[in-house]
Amino acid sequence: MPQNVVLQGPAPWGFRLSGGIDFNQPLIITRITPGSKASAANLCPGDVIVAIDGLSTENMTHNDAQERIKAAAHQLFLKIER
């Protein structure tokens, strides 16, 4: 069941991701920086990002996802599945 996570900005958010439609893989969080905003929001390696700021990641390339995350200045809204 998807859950919504809100990270308060500004960046850095404190996570790395892999995947994207260009890799034929879902966007997955691969690393969390200890003490980061992502860590405080209880994000975990292996979480699948299904939406960024309300936009589905289903057809998003890795670079598109990175650019959308970078564009979030004050808050980053993620919908994730564990």
Side-chain angles (χ1 to χ4, degrees), residues 7-49:
L7 301 173
Q8 297 299 327
W13 306 110
F15 65 92
R16 292 198 181 219
L17 73 158
S18 69
I21 195 165
D22 45 336
F23 294 100
N24 292 319
Q25 294 179 347
L27 285 164
I28 298 175
I29 293 175
T30 56
R31 198 178 83 174
I32 302 292
T33 304
S36 67
K37 294 169 183 166
S39 175
N42 293 320
L43 290 174
C44 301
D47 287 348
V48 177
I49 300 175

Side-chain angles (χ1 to χ4, degrees), residues 13 15 17-22 26-28 49 51-53 55-57 59-72 76 78:
W13 306 110
F15 65 92
L17 73 158
S18 69
I21 195 165
D22 45 336
L27 285 164
I28 298 175
I49 300 175
I52 301 169
D53 287 337
L55 190 69
S56 171
T57 60
N59 294 310
M60 207 176 275
T61 66
H62 184 84
N63 192 57
D64 288 343
Q66 284 183 317
E67 291 303 315
R68 189 155 290 280
I69 290 166
K70 284 182 197 171
L76 177 62
L78 300 176

